[in-house]
């Protein structure tokens, strides 16, 4: 798959440092026991629905899929599936963007269907085909594009959790396939639901998913840009997943047209890093109350005095 040519060359990870980080994760799991993973509900992001005799209240459902490949210049994919229900129908708005040598829109499809029983599900429509896994969650998305087919396959969960704002979220192994071949990577899947008339607290959520050519990856997320906002942090080093509860993110001054710059730290792991957003990428206004921006990021990491780089994707989502 075509990659971006403006990223710095990956110097490769420091094997000793990453081995220490993975070993520390194993020790933490051994000491504390396996982290409890919430059992997936049959309909994980569904609002409470009344009996068929009552009108169905208006609701907004959103599924967001974010893929980062493991090539030197990784392929990036952002898919956003929005559904809005009323008493008789469901309005779909499906959008997608691919980040290779440059960002390009690949999907913008709208449709109106009768309300299904499970309105939270991503439904096949137009150029979008869906393969569902256990509990109705998306296991594969197939897009029939003018330039050929693009397929995103989930290959198994690394970790799953419920966010502090009630979203169902998971980090997964994945593969992106097109007519030129396949690229392995990581997939961040997020589901949310709220009533059409619900008053949502104003906030700016942030998510960063970066990886290297060895398949190691870091996920950092927080529901607010406030300095003291709690951070969800996962590392995937040498096929070992670890969730960190002590992650810190600090917003730094950015220059030029960069969407932002941030430093982060995992104190218990001894890992420091800096994230730099690169210009470009889709920016969607908040006409539906949730504007967002997607962009490529470069990460510089330091562990045990050794440094290396990762590349990936950043997302800023504004709710007002």
């Amino acid at each position: 798959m075509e990659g971006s040519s403006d990223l710095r060359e990956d110097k490769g990870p420091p094997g000793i440092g990453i081995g220490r980080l993975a070993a520390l994760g194993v020790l933490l799991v051994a000491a504390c026991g396996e982290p409890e993973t919430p059992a997936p509900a049959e309909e994980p992001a569904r609002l409470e629905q009344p009996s068929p005799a009552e009108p169905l209240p208006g609701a907004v459902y959103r599924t967001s899929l974010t893929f980062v490949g493991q090539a030197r210049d990784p392929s990036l994919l952002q898919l956003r599936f929005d559904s809005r229900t009323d008493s008789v129908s469901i309005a779909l708005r499906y959008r997608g963007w691919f980040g290779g040598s440059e960002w390009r829109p690949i999907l913008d499809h709208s449709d109106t269907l009768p309300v299904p029983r499970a309105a939270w599900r991503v439904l096949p429509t137009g150029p979008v085909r869906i393969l569902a896994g256990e509990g109705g969650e998306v296991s594969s998305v197939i897009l029939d594009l003018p330039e050929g087919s693009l397929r995103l396959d989930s290959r198994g969960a690394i970790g799953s959790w419920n966010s502090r704002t009630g979203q169902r979220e998971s980090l997964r192994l994945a593969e992106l396939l097109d007519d030129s071949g396949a690229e392995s990577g990581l997939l961040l899947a997020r589901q949310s639901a709220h009533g059409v008339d619900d008053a949502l607290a104003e906030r700016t959520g942030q998510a960063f998913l970066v990886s290297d050519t060895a398949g190691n990856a870091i996920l950092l997320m927080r529901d607010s840009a406030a300095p003291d906002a709690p951070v969800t942090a996962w590392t995937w080093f040498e096929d070992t997943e670890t969730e960190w509860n002590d992650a810190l993110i600090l917003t730094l001054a950015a220059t030029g047209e960069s969407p932002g710059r941030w430093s982060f730290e995992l104190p218990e792991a001894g890992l420091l890093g800096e994230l730099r957003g690169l210009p470009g990428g889709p920016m969607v206004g908040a006409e539906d109350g949730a504007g967002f921006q997607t962009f490529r990021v470069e990460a510089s990491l330091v562990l045990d005095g050794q440094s290396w780089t990762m590349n990936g994707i950043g997302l800023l989502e504004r709710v007002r």
Side-chain angles (χ1 to χ4, degrees):
M1 292 188 179
E2 186 180 15
S4 171
S5 60
D6 59 353
L7 296 184
R8 297 192 309 177
E9 182 177 355
D10 186 1
K11 298 179 181 178
I16 296 177
I18 283 189
R20 173 181 173 276
L21 185 61
L24 179 56
V26 172
L27 289 174
L28 287 174
V29 171
C32 303
E34 290 292 336
E36 183 177 352
T37 301
E42 180 183 355
E43 297 179 0
R46 189 186 65 170
L47 295 180
E48 189 68 27
Q49 296 191 11
S51 65
E54 300 176 17
L56 185 70
V60 176
Y61 301 91
R62 175 166 295 129
T63 295
S64 175
L65 302 178
T66 304
F67 172 86
V68 173
Q70 295 172 351
R72 185 174 300 277
D73 295 325
S75 298
L76 308 177
L77 182 66
Q78 176 66 32
L79 298 176
R80 189 178 177 96
F81 303 103
D82 291 329
S83 305
R84 181 183 292 260
T85 64
D86 57 26
S87 59
V88 296
S89 65
I90 178 170
L92 308 178
R93 178 76 185 279
Y94 290 175
R95 291 169 286 182
W97 299 265
F98 178 82
S101 58
E102 60 182 19
W103 285 96
R104 69 177 190 271
I106 58 171
L107 174 66
D108 191 347
H109 179 75
S110 299
D111 200 356
T112 301
L113 304 171
V115 175
R117 176 178 176 271
W120 61 267
R121 296 189 181 190
V122 180
L123 303 173
T125 176
V128 180
R129 288 183 286 154
I130 300 295
L131 298 180
E134 184 178 354
E137 294 187 352
V138 175
S139 63
S140 295
V141 178
I142 304 167
L143 304 180
D144 294 322
L145 307 176
E147 62 271 25
S149 177
L150 183 67
R151 177 171 179 146
L152 176 63
D153 289 336
S154 171
R155 298 299 190 189
I158 292 173
S160 60
W161 61 94
N162 290 320
S163 76
R164 294 171 180 84
T165 57
Q167 290 194 128
R168 178 68 173 170
E169 302 170 339
S170 62
L171 180 63
R172 299 173 173 272
L173 300 173
E175 189 173 49
L176 187 64
L177 305 94
D178 65 9
D179 294 340
S180 65
E183 183 175 347
S184 297
L186 277 295
L187 172 65
L188 173 63
R190 310 174 74 183
Q191 292 177 303
S192 65
H194 63 83
V196 169
D197 298 324
D198 288 355
L200 303 179
E202 183 174 344
R203 61 182 177 85
T204 299
Q206 299 173 333
F208 307 96
L209 178 59
V210 293
S211 68
D212 61 21
T213 56
N216 304 300
I218 299 173
L219 170 66
L220 299 167
M221 302 172 61
R222 58 179 179 174
D223 297 319
S224 166
D228 59 347
V231 178
T232 297
W234 286 80
T235 57
W236 176 252
F237 288 107
E238 297 183 346
D239 296 335
T240 298
E241 83 281 2
T242 308
E243 182 178 11
W244 305 91
N245 298 314
D246 60 345
L248 303 172
I249 296 179
L250 178 64
T251 301
L252 306 176
T255 58
E257 298 179 354
S258 169
R261 189 167 67 98
W262 302 264
S263 66
F264 68 90
E265 180 180 2
L266 302 181
E268 196 164 6
L271 178 65
L272 303 173
E274 181 177 312
L275 300 159
R276 295 177 299 279
L278 301 181
M283 182 181 296
V284 177
E287 71 279 355
D288 61 351
F292 69 95
Q293 183 178 9
T294 300
F295 48 90
R296 190 178 290 269
V297 294
E298 294 177 334
S300 299
L301 311 173
V302 178
L303 179 65
D304 286 344
Q306 302 179 73
S307 61
W308 79 104
T309 62
M310 288 186 172
N311 298 291
I313 198 169
L315 300 103
L316 306 180
E317 184 160 8
R318 299 173 181 87
V319 176
R320 48 182 163 174

